Amino acid sequence: MSRNKMSPFRKDSLVLVAITALIFSQTWRTAMTDEGGMRLPKNVLPVSYDIQLLPIIEEGNFTTPGFVEIVVDCIETTSAISMNSADISIDESSIMISDIASQEPIGVMNLMVEDDRQIITIELDSQLMSGRQYKISMNFVAVLNDELRGFYRSTYEENGETKYLAVTQFSAPDARRSFPCFDEPNMKAVFTIKLGRKLSMSSNSNMPKIKTEPIQGMADYVWDYYQTTVKMSSYLVGMMVSEFTGVPSESELNRVPFTIWTRPSLTNLTKYAGNIAPQILKYFEYFTQIDYPLPKVDIAAIPDFAAGAMENWGHINFREADLLIDEQRSSEVAKQRVAEVTGHELGHMWFGNLVTHDWWSLVWLKEGFARYVQYIGTDSVEPGFQMDEQFGVATLQSVFRVDSLESSRPLDFDVNNSASLNTLFDVVVYDKGASIVRMMANFLGPETFRRSMTRYLHSRAYANAVQDDLWRAVQEQIEIDGLVLPATVKTIMDPWTNKMGYPLITVTRNYDGTSGGTISQSRFLLRKSTNSTDSIVYRWWVPLTFTADFSLPQKSIWISDKEDSIPLPDLSATDDEWVLFNVGQVGYYRVSYDDTNYGLILQQLATDHTVISAKNRAQLLDDTLTIARANIVPYEKALDLTKYLALERDYAPWTAATNALDFIDIMLYGYPDFNEWKVYLSDLVVPLYQYVGFDEGTRDTHLFIYTRTHAIHWACTKLEIDDCVQHANQVYASWMTNVITENDISPNLLRLISCSAIANGSDPEWNFGYQKYLASTLANEKIDLLKAMTCTKETDIIYHMLEMMINENSGIRLQDANTLFSSIAANPVGHGVALDFLATRWDEVNAYFSGYVGFGGSSMPGLFRSLCDRVNTNEQLAELTKLRDDHLDVLGSSKTVNQGLELAQSNVKWVEQHYSEVITWLKNQKMSSASTTISPNYVVMVTLCGVLSMFFKT
């Protein structure tokens, strides 16, 4: 059946397209089954796309009429063409198929639509022949939705007027919501894009604009034509139509032009990103030895954006909070966040864009590498951030908590439907992926690792990769460099990606004068169920490092995935010297020791903790307190380790400590002896608070500022130390009475000061914070104020905030709703209110978030998950379980929900097993005589350091 191609872009035809598409959508034969999964057949593969889109950005008509022409190679003879389409109305009468060589048309018999699978199939009246090329074309109308996916609309206020823009978020995978396509990462093609817009607006896409022409029959509308892209996956197509202003980077390193795009009122906030982005790109060109292949980089700050950013090749989209900062009013946290996200997205230009994962089950090949290189990219422009000092506590220890659950998953984890695909973008993909890359880089050495990455990227450039492609390139470089490993890199690394979890390394020393011992491995689980049916043997190739003296080179040895334990004849330590494993916490494993070695470590920490590196002090705290949760070491030993914290002043150990101690704080909350815990913690926190001080100094380092935020968070909001609370309340009161403005408050302390004042205040303090939130034009400041508002202890206000969350006129953006809910759920008073709200208002909440998948999966499982951490009674657990059971259709199959419930169950079990043990230990502490356990000379040294730090703060 042959049909004439419509001319879709005359003004009268726009209406016709919309009407006819809707009519045809009513008459399609629709198959509502997912039996075939979400994969497309590979009988035809795309070569090129010509795409014409005209987003109508007007209230009452948020649609995008479009036309697409796709050239395909026929790989296998077939009489049907399947491709992806979701929420698109296709004009069936416009579909045309033709043989490119003969120009003969191929008749279309029918269009079959499978909504659940997001697949359309064009059934033909004759066969496409293998080895020939064909052209597919059609007209369609897509919805310019408000769901933050596909080609969607975002809004902002400018001079009292609501402004709209159209912008894309196609990962993963949502290009199919904008135009029919072969929306799989291994179906790469080139894209030629033509975007329509009003004359008052501008457009952007992956490539530079070639020309602009009027749209015939549409006054004040024009077409922007763009250069054809390089070969890439459909999820990397980026488009934007807006009234934004572009600010060119002034960096002298601009081999490639950089432009930061934002709403006109925020152009003054682009300088930092415009400065660091070209520097990071240049560093990655050095690191990979591969030039960035596109002729420009556009970076856009989007008011409504589900992810932190999206690496569209040549046109990267960011959340405003992750790109725009006021270098006077933005916090150090916000500044680092901009640097990290910029490094992450620019890293994707090589890891993900140039070389792309073959299928979404291997998404760690892009996200794990991008997370890893964001650290080295940030370090290249901000060495003062000490990114290597942060990796262990921010990334590795973060994923440890999830990967110690039976409901975790391997890095290589297959998916067969869109819902489960979105949940792949989780902490395992990002942080475990980065952690095993870091571990591999360490045992390869920096130069072999860097050269192997260059080899890998060259070998799969403009193509796709599976894990074996990576291992093959690394192995080739290992052999060229003459590096000796105990097995091939594939043999070593496959268990880390194909199995969930990680090992606990148990070190048992001999103490017989031989300096030997035994090393064993087993899977670490927070709680092992008695009815587990998991038959996988959990052993790994583990690169073990150890030392008894950090001033000397570390020692190393391997344990294989065939060995439960190995003898270690020489630990290079006498019987009265400690030994520490996992030097720098570079390995993806935890460590447990025999009682004597623990005793030697405790003695060293009490005498001079700085002899042990800060990264390994952080490791000791996180490992030991977590291992105690799993009943592997007694809590007496783990808590004994925390006593030295009265003398600890460094960021990494305190970050690990506060994460681990926060768990105990949550478990004891609401029980009769909770005050015993607060007294003990005060003895640890007050010395740190006094050391860092409440007020900032001009010479404070980046991590010193971070450490102060730990101290003030605990001193003000958790322990309510009088000096801290009074300081915070005084500053906030002065702000409320206009004695000072927000410009007079340190941006690093704004959230903490506001949180403390709102927690200790009532309606006036909260209302003031809310008004400041609404008035702020600085995205990262708005997030700080939003979090501070959730610190209130007034249940009526908390309930009101939850209602605001589902009110589109409240001023709280959809992208920030999860932040609001999770912050309330983390509030000891707010937790019960949030649980009740979600249970009783489920239908309203679910309807409000309907269609908004967000980044990392559906919103409802995410909201449920945020309720799990504070559960510490059987009653709370029963309520949570009932909530899950009442909504199995939404929550029942979610891995996020299962992980949350597993954590909640382990929390309740912890109270049963450890509450009395911890309280007994607390009551036995005699903290008044620190000199009995701490060297007097060491006290003098720490005191002198405190005096010097006060000098350098001024």
Side-chain angles (χ1 to χ4, degrees), residues 70-81:
I70 311 171
V71 174
V72 298
D73 284 331
C74 183
I75 308 302
E76 298 175 0
T77 299
T78 180
S79 59
I81 302 170

Side-chain angles (χ1 to χ4, degrees), residues 527-804:
R527 187 173 68 93
K528 185 174 178 61
S529 62
T530 55
N531 59 350
S532 173
T533 59
D534 190 349
S535 60
I536 294 174
V537 176
Y538 287 97
R539 288 192 297 257
W540 295 263
W541 275 92
V542 188
L544 301 170
T545 58
F546 60 95
T547 188
D549 186 341
F550 280 88
S551 67
L552 298 176
Q554 66 188 36
K555 307 284 187 179
S556 61
I557 192 172
W558 290 81
I559 184 171
S560 81
D561 64 349
K562 300 295 189 292
E563 299 168 312
D564 290 314
S565 64
I566 58 170
L568 189 55
D570 184 11
L571 286 165
S572 300
T574 61
D575 290 354
D576 60 354
E577 292 177 325
W578 49 262
V579 172
L580 277 173
F581 274 67
N582 202 1
V583 177
Q585 203 176 21
V586 174
Y588 192 71
Y589 57 92
R590 293 194 185 276
V591 186
S592 176
Y593 302 98
D594 60 73
D595 289 347
T596 302
N597 199 61
Y598 269 125
L600 293 168
I601 292 169
L602 290 173
Q603 184 180 354
Q604 181 63 71
L605 291 173
T607 304
D608 181 357
H609 64 272
T610 63
V611 168
I612 297 172
S613 74
K615 284 185 280 190
N616 278 100
R617 299 199 302 273
Q619 175 222 5
L620 278 167
L621 288 159
D622 185 65
D623 278 359
T624 311
L625 285 162
T626 306
I627 290 167
R629 285 177 64 179
N631 299 314
I632 295 170
V633 300
Y635 255 102
E636 178 183 6
K637 192 179 306 299
L639 291 171
D640 280 345
L641 187 67
T642 67
K643 290 193 285 188
Y644 99 93
L645 285 169
L647 294 173
E648 181 61 79
R649 302 293 180 260
D650 285 334
Y651 163 77
W654 264 110
T655 302
T658 53
N659 289 335
L661 295 175
D662 190 53
F663 169 77
I664 302 176
D665 187 79
I666 292 170
M667 293 302 95
L668 300 183
Y669 181 82
Y671 285 94
D673 296 300
F674 184 59
N675 195 57
E676 297 281 352
W677 173 248
K678 290 182 70 174
V679 169
Y680 175 67
L681 280 187
S682 296
D683 288 336
L684 303 182
V685 171
V686 168
L688 179 68
Y689 171 69
Q690 292 173 339
Y691 174 76
V692 297
F694 189 92
D695 299 316
E696 290 188 351
T698 56
R699 298 188 183 184
D700 287 350
T701 65
H702 184 71
L703 291 190
F704 192 90
I705 291 169
Y706 273 30
T707 307
R708 179 184 288 110
T709 62
H710 283 320
I712 292 179
H713 169 67
W714 278 82
C716 271
T717 62
K718 282 187 169 290
L719 301 174
E720 298 177 319
I721 304 299
D722 286 343
D723 182 78
C724 189
V725 172
Q726 289 173 13
H727 266 85
N729 290 351
Q730 287 168 5
V731 173
Y732 198 80
S734 297
W735 189 18
M736 289 180 67
T737 55
N738 295 319
V739 174
I740 62 173
T741 71
E742 53 266 30
N743 294 328
D744 299 310
I745 302 173
S746 164
N748 301 306
L749 300 179
L750 177 67
R751 177 179 61 84
L752 296 171
I753 287 170
S754 302
C755 175
S756 180
I758 290 171
N760 290 284
S762 56
D763 284 5
E765 287 76 15
W766 186 89
N767 285 326
F768 179 79
Y770 178 44
Q771 293 306 314
K772 288 297 181 182
Y773 167 80
L774 292 176
S776 177
T777 58
L778 192 57
N780 40 61
E781 182 179 82
K782 287 179 78 76
I783 294 296
D784 281 345
L785 289 167
L786 182 65
K787 289 179 179 178
M789 288 158 53
T790 68
C791 295
T792 180
K793 298 175 184 176
E794 302 285 334
T795 55
D796 289 348
I797 297 177
I798 292 170
Y799 195 87
H800 175 59
M801 277 190 290
L802 291 167
E803 290 187 312
M804 290 167 56

Side-chain angles (χ1 to χ4, degrees), residues 184-214:
E184 296 192 5
N186 62 7
M187 296 183 173
K188 290 190 171 186
V190 298
F191 297 80
T192 304
I193 293 170
K194 184 165 79 171
L195 282 175
R197 62 173 173 88
K198 288 183 177 179
L199 278 170
S200 59
M201 307 183 90
S202 62
S203 74
N204 303 77
S205 191
N206 304 81
M207 301 296 286
K209 186 161 49 180
I210 302 171
K211 63 180 179 178
T212 298
E213 292 181 347

Side-chain angles (χ1 to χ4, degrees), residues 105 127 286 295 354 415 517 664 872 951:
Q127 289 190 325
Y286 156 75
L354 183 66
V415 291
I664 302 176
N872 67 347
F951 168 77

Side-chain angles (χ1 to χ4, degrees), residues 44-209:
V44 297
L45 293 176
V47 175
S48 67
Y49 292 80
D50 276 280
I51 303 165
Q52 301 175 27
L53 297 174
L54 176 55
I56 307 299
I57 314 174
E58 296 179 359
E59 291 188 13
N61 185 20
F62 292 116
T63 58
T64 305
F67 168 77
V68 65
E69 184 176 272
I70 311 171
V71 174
V72 298
D73 284 331
C74 183
I75 308 302
E76 298 175 0
T77 299
T78 180
S79 59
I81 302 170
S82 293
M83 63 179 72
N84 297 111
S85 177
D87 298 332
I88 291 178
S89 298
I90 298 172
D91 178 7
E92 188 175 354
S93 68
S94 73
I95 299 174
M96 295 187 65
I97 316 293
S98 62
D99 184 303
I100 289 180
S102 68
Q103 296 187 347
E104 288 293 319
I106 309 294
V108 176
M109 295 177 59
N110 186 59
L111 179 68
M112 183 174 71
V113 180
E114 298 176 88
D115 287 340
D116 286 356
R117 297 178 63 205
Q118 300 178 356
I119 291 175
I120 60 170
T121 300
I122 303 169
E123 298 173 345
L124 308 173
D125 64 8
S126 60
Q127 289 190 325
L128 306 183
M129 303 306 296
S130 174
R132 299 184 70 83
Q133 280 194 333
Y134 297 87
K135 184 182 295 181
I136 310 163
S137 64
M138 67 191 75
N139 295 321
F140 57 88
V141 177
V143 178
L144 201 63
N145 66 68
D146 60 356
E147 299 170 0
L148 279 63
R149 59 177 175 167
F151 203 4
Y152 71 93
R153 66 184 186 270
S154 176
T155 65
Y156 60 94
E157 296 291 322
E158 193 112 310
N159 300 321
E161 182 183 355
T162 299
K163 300 283 189 176
Y164 292 95
L165 65 144
V167 67
T168 54
Q169 171 62 28
F170 286 168
S171 178
D174 283 315
R176 62 191 67 183
R177 297 182 187 279
S178 179
F179 55 92
C181 57
F182 297 84
D183 204 11
E184 296 192 5
N186 62 7
M187 296 183 173
K188 290 190 171 186
V190 298
F191 297 80
T192 304
I193 293 170
K194 184 165 79 171
L195 282 175
R197 62 173 173 88
K198 288 183 177 179
L199 278 170
S200 59
M201 307 183 90
S202 62
S203 74
N204 303 77
S205 191
N206 304 81
M207 301 296 286
K209 186 161 49 180

